[in-house]
Each structure stands twice: as structure tokens, then as C-alpha cells.
């Protein structure tokens, strides 16, 4: 029995989680999987009613689950720092989900906006530091609202924090056994403390992996190379903010935000891990029934893998790949005319 906390959140999060659960339920019987999904209504609507995104003991309520399955958070009428610092980011930190794993694969049947790429020419994974760095949430305001107002936002880089995520990236490169390469993303030309510690730690960890080749790229150049020669990347490791930015690029060069899966992991398994796609609540298309549920469904496959259900995860991924290749049941972001639930129903049929 896998006990999963479900937080659908806002906007398209609500709809894509519906379809992903449909698929997870559909794939379960033939693998002897039993799910127990527990819904938590924490969201912007919850905020309108209660003045907070979740109760103060919200994270504690999640502690005993085997996984958290989250849609997206964000509402046009509430400032993003309120919604995100009220729900998503504290959960990442509370459970020390220090790895954010975000694969980008160019699947057959999907058109990249980049010219001349063949299927699987892009097959990379970004390992994003997920609990500190630029997102440490350290800072404050002085003289708020006055002309002399000051805002301080401090990035926090610890040796421990850098080392564990970098080590994860090297282990992953070994395990993938593709290019056996790790790229470090830095900005130590301008940020002479935190990023220098990052670089030093990367060099030290790299010495322990003589079988893995490495390079280091400045974040601005890395953004360019994700467009210019994405084929060259294998495992990419970066700080919280740099990983965030690169993974939207990774999503769009492989076809759509609607395909980009993601997992927030505590690899030690002391804390519960959280599975949410790379995309947000997409207010521009919310309520129209056209959001692509595949990112959430592939995120469900990542959750299956984390739970040790590799064969079921393979089934879900194959169903998505097959559907993309045939190209008949696709949402508008991929050039199709299907609805969110149409894609969910189709994939649920394929995996059952
Ligand atoms: P977004 O990812 O929601 O949307 C960016 C673009 O991609 C939009 O044009 C949207 O329509 C499209 N898109 C995203 N997901 C899609 C899908 N599944 N199918 C088809 N098209 C899809 O990013 P944004 O517009 O910058 O942010 C919207 C809100 O979501 C903000 O409040 C932001 O803070 C929040 N956000 C939350 C998360 C999260 O909860 N994990 C992640 C990113 C953004
Ligand atoms: C993501 C999102 C979040 C992040 C926001 C909503 C705080 O953009 O998961 O990529 O920056 O981590
Ligand atoms: Mn993001």
C-alpha cells in the first residue's frame, strides 16, 4: 500500500492531477499496486477562506506519507511570494528535499522549436539544488514603503549543501551510463563567495569519480548552449535559481512545458519526497480543459520509480511515448485538439 498526500493546488494543477491519478489508478492492478490517496485542499482558494495557504501544522500532517503528489500553486490575485512561500517552498525545506530532478527528453513525434534535431538528440537531466542557495529565504525589509526602503535577500551556500547535491549528480551520471558526463553551472566570475564554494566543492567531488568527465559553464553561457547544442548535455548540476531557469529552457526545447516532469527528493529517505511537474498553474489556460496532463503523468511515473515500482513506471512512460509518436491524442500545446481529460482517458486505457 502506497500512502500518498495529494495537493492539487491552483489553476491547471487541479485538472492535471485528476488525470494523473486516473492513470496511476489504471496502471495499479496488473502490478499489484494499492494506492491510498489523501486529499489536502491547500491552495489559493484555501487562502481566500482561511487567510493562509495551509494550516501551521500542515507540513507535520504530511510527514507520515510515502509521497506528496502536487499539481501547481499560484493565483493571479495573490502575490506569488505569499502563495509559494506559504505552501510549496516550506515543504521542500521541511523535508530536506535537496535534489530537484528534472529530465528533458526529445521524444519521437514531438517537434522541438530548435531546427534539425532528431528524437532523443536531447536527453539530459538537470539536478537542481533545492533547499538553499538563492532560495534560502534569508533577508528582510527596512524602512518599508518609504523612499529609503532597503530589501536584503541573501543567498546561502553551505559546503554540505553543495557537496550532497553534486555527489548525487555524479552518482546519477554513473547510473545513467550514457555520456558519463556532469556539467556544473556557476557564476563565480561575479558571485565571488557562494559560487566559488560551489566550484571548489565540484572540483573536489569530481576527483572521486575519475570515470566521469566534467565541465563547468557560466549560467549565461549555459542558457546559450541549451539552445545551441543541447545534444552535448548529460547530467547538469546547478544551484536553486540556475536550475529553475535552465529547466524551463529544457522543457520548451523538448516541445512543451506540458511534458516536463520533476521530483523533489530527499535521497536519504528520512523526509518524504514531493512530486510536482516543472510547470506552474498556467492562469492563461486554466479552466479551459486544454492543459497537457502529460507532465503530471510523467511526474507520477517518477513517483512510481521512487516507490520501487519500476515496471509500472516504465508502462506509464511507454504509454506517453507511444501517444506522442502516433500523434493523434494531443493537447493544443503539442499541435493537437484533444482535451486534458481526453489525453488522461487515453493514457489510462493504454496502461490498464
Ligand atoms: P507556467 O508554467 O504556469 O506557464 C508558462 C507557460 O506554459 C504558459 O503559457 C502556460 O500556458 C504554459 N503551460 C504550462 N503548463 C502547461 C501545460 N501543462 N499544458 C500546456 N501549457 C502549459 O508559468 P507562469 O505563467 O510563469 O506561472 C504561473 C503561476 O504558476 C505563477 O503564479 C507562478 O508563480 C506559479 N508557478 C508555480 C509552480 C509550482 O507550483 N510548482 C511552478 C511554476 C510557476
Ligand atoms: C518551479 C517553480 C518554483 C521554483 C516557484 C513557483 C517558486 O518555478 O518549481 O520551477 O522556482 O522553484
Ligand atoms: Mn520554475
Amino acid at each position: 500500500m502506497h500512502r500518498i498526500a495529494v495537493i492539487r493546488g491552483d489553476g491547471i494543477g487541479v485538472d492535471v492531477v485528476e488525470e494523473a491519478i486516473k492513470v496511476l489508478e489504471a496502471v495499479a492492478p496488473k502490478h499489484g499496486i494499492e494506492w491510498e490517496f489523501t486529499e489536502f485542499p491547500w491552495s489559493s482558494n484555501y487562502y481566500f477562506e482561511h487567510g493562509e495557504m495551509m494550516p501551521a501544522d500542515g507540513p507535520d500532517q504530511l510527514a507520515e506519507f510515502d509521497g506528496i503528489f502536487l499539481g501547481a500553486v499560484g493565483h493571479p490575485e495573490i502575490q506569488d511570494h505569499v502563495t509559494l512561500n506559504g505552501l510549496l517552498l516550506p515543504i521542500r525545506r521541511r523535508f530536506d528535499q535537496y535534489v530537484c530532478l528534472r529530465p528533458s527528453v526529445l521524444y519521437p513525434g514531438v517537434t522541438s522549436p530548435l531546427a534539425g534535431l532528431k528524437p532523443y538528440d536531447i536527453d539530459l537531466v538537470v539536478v537542481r539544488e533545492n533547499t538553499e542557495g538563492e532560495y534560502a529565504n534569508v533577508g528582510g525589509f527596512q524602512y518599508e514603503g518609504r523612499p529609503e526602503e532597503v530589501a536584503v535577500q541573501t543567498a546561502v551556500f553551505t559546503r554540505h549543501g553543495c557537496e550532497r547535491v553534486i555527489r548525487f549528480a555524479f552518482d546519477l551520471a554513473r547510473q545513467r551510463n550514457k555520456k558519463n558526463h556532469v556539467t556544473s553551472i556557476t557564476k563565480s566570475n561575479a558571485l565571488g563567495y557562494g559560487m566559488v564554494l560551489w566550484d571548489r566543492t565540484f572540483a573536489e567531488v569530481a576527483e572521486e569519480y575519475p570515470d566521469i568527465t566534467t565541465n563547468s559553464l557560466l549560467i549565461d553561457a549555459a542558457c546559450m548552449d541549451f539552445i545551441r547544442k543541447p545534444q552535448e548535455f548529460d547530467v547538469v548540476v546547478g544551484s536553486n535559481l540556475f536550475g529553475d531557469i535552465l529547466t524551463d529552457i529544457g522543457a520548451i526545447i523538448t516541445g512543451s512545458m506540458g511534458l516536463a516532469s520533476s521530483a523533489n527528493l530527499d535521497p536519504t529517505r528520512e523526509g518524504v519526497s514531493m512530486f510536482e511537474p516543472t510547470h506552474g498553474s498556467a492562469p492563461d489556460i486554466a479552466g479551459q480543459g486544454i492543459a497537457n496532463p502529460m507532465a503530471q503523468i510523467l511526474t507520477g511515473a517518477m513517483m512510481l520509480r521512487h516507490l520501487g515500482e519500476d515496471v509500472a513506471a516504465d508502462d506509464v512512460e511507454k504509454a506517453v511515448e507511444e501517444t506522442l509518436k502516433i500523434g493523434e491524442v494531443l493537447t493544443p500545446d503539442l499541435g493537437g485538439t484533444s482535451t486534458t481529460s481526453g489525453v488522461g482517458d487515453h493514457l489510462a486505457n493504454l496502461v490498464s
Side-chain angles (χ1 to χ4, degrees), residues 73 84 88-89 92 102 128 130 135 240 244 247-248 276-278:
V73 184
L84 279 317
L88 182 71
L89 299 172
R92 288 182 186 167
R102 294 187 160 175
R128 168 188 181 189
N130 210 35
Y135 282 47
N240 218 325
D244 177 47
T247 50
D248 266 33
E276 43 140 352
T278 301

Side-chain angles (χ1 to χ4, degrees), residues 43-56 78 82 86:
S43 60
S44 295
N45 282 334
Y46 187 92
Y47 179 90
F48 289 131
E49 219 171 292
H50 301 270
E52 55 190 2
M53 292 298 290
M54 64 174 161
I78 314 175
V82 174

Side-chain angles (χ1 to χ4, degrees), residues 132-280:
E132 57 173 44
E134 308 86 345
Y135 282 47
N137 206 29
V138 175
F141 296 107
Q142 282 266 336
Y143 317 117
E144 207 170 328
R146 293 179 19 199
E148 64 273 34
E149 180 164 6
V150 179
V152 175
Q153 181 99 41
T154 304
V156 175
F157 290 85
T158 67
R159 183 179 284 276
H160 171 69
C162 297
E163 188 182 330
R164 61 186 184 171
V165 75
I166 290 169
R167 195 175 293 286
F168 183 94
F170 277 93
D171 288 336
L172 180 65
R174 251 187 202 163
Q175 190 195 318
R176 278 164 63 87
N177 200 18
K178 291 190 171 170
K179 295 191 170 77
N180 290 293
H181 189 81
V182 180
T183 302
S184 165
I185 308 298
T186 185
K187 189 67 195 176
S188 50
N189 53 352
L191 308 177
Y193 305 110
M195 284 292 154
V196 170
L197 177 58
W198 175 276
D199 287 359
R200 268 200 259 125
T201 311
F202 184 81
E204 281 165 26
V205 174
E207 276 185 23
E208 294 173 39
Y209 294 82
D211 50 322
I212 306 293
T213 55
T214 66
N215 68 326
S216 175
L217 284 178
L218 297 163
I219 177 62
D220 40 359
C223 289
M224 183 182 67
D225 280 350
F226 260 50
I227 306 290
R228 180 171 65 157
K229 43 179 187 180
Q231 311 90 308
E232 294 194 0
F233 292 98
D234 180 13
V235 176
V236 178
V237 63
S239 67
N240 218 325
L241 180 63
F242 294 169
D244 177 47
I245 294 167
L246 278 177
T247 50
D248 266 33
I249 302 179
I252 205 63
I253 60 176
T254 49
S256 174
M257 285 305 289
L259 286 176
S261 57
S262 173
N264 304 281
L265 305 173
D266 173 5
T268 71
R269 292 179 179 261
E270 267 170 49
V272 55
S273 291
M274 176 161 69
F275 300 84
E276 43 140 352
T278 301
H279 67 72

